[in-house]
C-alpha cells in the first residue's frame, strides 16, 4: 500500500499521539464494549475490528464484550414477539430469552469473531455460560410510587446481574494469544440463562 505524503504524516501523527497510551497499557487486559450503532454500520464494524487487532498487535490484551439490541429487536419483530421495556431494560420472558440467546450467542458473536479474524486477528467467541464464566442472579427492579407505601417489585424475567465472574476461561484464551469475544449471557444456580446486559 503506497501513501501520499499527507496520509503518511497523518498516520505518523496519530501513532505519535497514541504512543504514551500504548506504553501505558502494554501487557494489560482491556475490556472493550461493542454495541449500539457501530454494530449495524458495516464501516464502523470493520473499523472496530481493525482497532481491536491493532490493540493486540501492540501488546494489549483486548477482551470484547458485545451487545446486540438492534439485532434482537429485529428478530423479535419478525417472530411477532412483543417487546416491553421497564426503565430502559428489556423484559425478557422465556420466548424472548430464546431469541436473545440465539442472537447474542450465535449470529452476533460469530459475526464479530469473523470480522476480527478477517482483519488479521485470532478471535474466539464464547458466551458467559461457557465454563460458567458468568454466574448470574436474577435482577430485582423496584419502583417507588407516591401511591404505594412499599416500593413495587417488577419482574423483568431473565435479566440478571453478575454473581460472580470466573476469569479462568478468559485467561486460558489470553494465554493462548486469542482475543476473547464474549456474549453477555450468564447462568444461574438453577441452570437458568440470564441476559446480563439488561439494556440490549
Amino acid at each position: 500500500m503506497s501513501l501520499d505524503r499527507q496520509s503518511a504524516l497523518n498516520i505518523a501523527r496519530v501513532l505519535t499521539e497514541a504512543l504514551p497510551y500504548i506504553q501505558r497499557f502494554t501487557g494489560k487486559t482491556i475490556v472493550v464494549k461493542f454495541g449500539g450503532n457501530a454494530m449495524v454500520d458495516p464501516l464502523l464494524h470493520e473499523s472496530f475490528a481493525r482497532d481491536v487487532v491493532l490493540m493486540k498487535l501492540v501488546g494489549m490484551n483486548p477482551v470484547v464484550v458485545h451487545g446486540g439490541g438492534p439485532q434482537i429487536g429485529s428478530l423479535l419483530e419478525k417472530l411477532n414477539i412483543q417487546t416491553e421495556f421497564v426503565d430502559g431494560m428489556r423484559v425478557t420472558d422465556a420466548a424472548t430469552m430464546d431469541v436473545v440467546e440465539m442472537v447474542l450467542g450465535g449470529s452476533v458473536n460469530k459475526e464479530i469473531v469473523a470480522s476480527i479474524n478477517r482483519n488479521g486477528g485470532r478471535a474466539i467467541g464464547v458466551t458467559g455460560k461457557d465454563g460458567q464464566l458468568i454466574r448470574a442472579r436474577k435482577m430485582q427492579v423496584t419502583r417507588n410510587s407516591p401511591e404505594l407505601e412499599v416500593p413495587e417489585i417488577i419482574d423483568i424475567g431473565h435479566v440478571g446481574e453478575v454473581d460472580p465472574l470466573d476469569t479462568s476461561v478468559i485467561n486460558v484464551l489470553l494465554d493462548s494469544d486469542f482475543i476473547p469475544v464474549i456474549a453477555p449471557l450468564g447462568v444461574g444456580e438453577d441452570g437458568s440463562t440470564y441476559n446480563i446486559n439488561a439494556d440490549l
Side-chain angles (χ1 to χ4, degrees), residues 100-169:
V100 169
E101 188 167 10
M102 181 171 53
V103 171
L104 291 182
S107 59
V108 170
N109 188 274
K110 301 313 171 203
E111 183 180 313
I112 296 167
V113 167
S115 183
I116 291 171
N117 291 341
R118 190 169 51 248
N119 282 280
R122 290 178 5 131
I124 290 184
V126 296
T127 75
K129 293 172 67 175
D130 295 322
Q132 296 191 352
L133 167 63
I134 302 174
R135 295 295 304 228
R137 68 176 176 274
K138 186 177 176 72
M139 181 180 281
Q140 297 293 322
V141 176
T142 58
R143 182 184 288 164
N144 292 317
S145 172
E147 300 87 36
L148 301 172
E149 293 179 17
V150 180
E152 176 185 12
I153 297 174
I154 302 168
D155 185 2
I156 55 173
H158 292 265
V159 177
E161 298 175 298
V162 175
D163 180 43
L165 185 69
D166 180 355
T167 59
S168 59
V169 173

Side-chain angles (χ1 to χ4, degrees), residues 26-141:
T26 294
K28 305 277 192 216
T29 298
I30 312 291
V31 177
V32 182
K33 170 68 165 71
F34 183 47
N37 291 331
M39 294 192 74
V40 293
D41 181 323
L43 292 176
L44 291 176
H45 200 287
E46 289 300 301
S47 177
F48 168 81
R50 284 192 302 273
D51 289 348
V52 169
V53 171
L54 178 61
M55 289 173 72
K56 187 70 172 177
L57 288 174
V58 299
M60 298 175 203
N61 295 312
V63 175
V64 177
V65 179
H66 64 83
Q71 296 90 333
I72 292 168
S74 176
L75 186 53
L76 288 171
E77 190 175 317
K78 286 178 186 172
L79 296 173
N80 291 320
I81 298 174
Q82 296 298 315
T83 300
E84 179 187 351
F85 288 87
V86 172
D87 295 336
M89 291 178 283
R90 186 186 305 276
V91 177
T92 309
D93 59 13
T96 302
M97 189 66 236
D98 287 343
V99 172
V100 169
E101 188 167 10
M102 181 171 53
V103 171
L104 291 182
S107 59
V108 170
N109 188 274
K110 301 313 171 203
E111 183 180 313
I112 296 167
V113 167
S115 183
I116 291 171
N117 291 341
R118 190 169 51 248
N119 282 280
R122 290 178 5 131
I124 290 184
V126 296
T127 75
K129 293 172 67 175
D130 295 322
Q132 296 191 352
L133 167 63
I134 302 174
R135 295 295 304 228
R137 68 176 176 274
K138 186 177 176 72
M139 181 180 281
Q140 297 293 322
V141 176

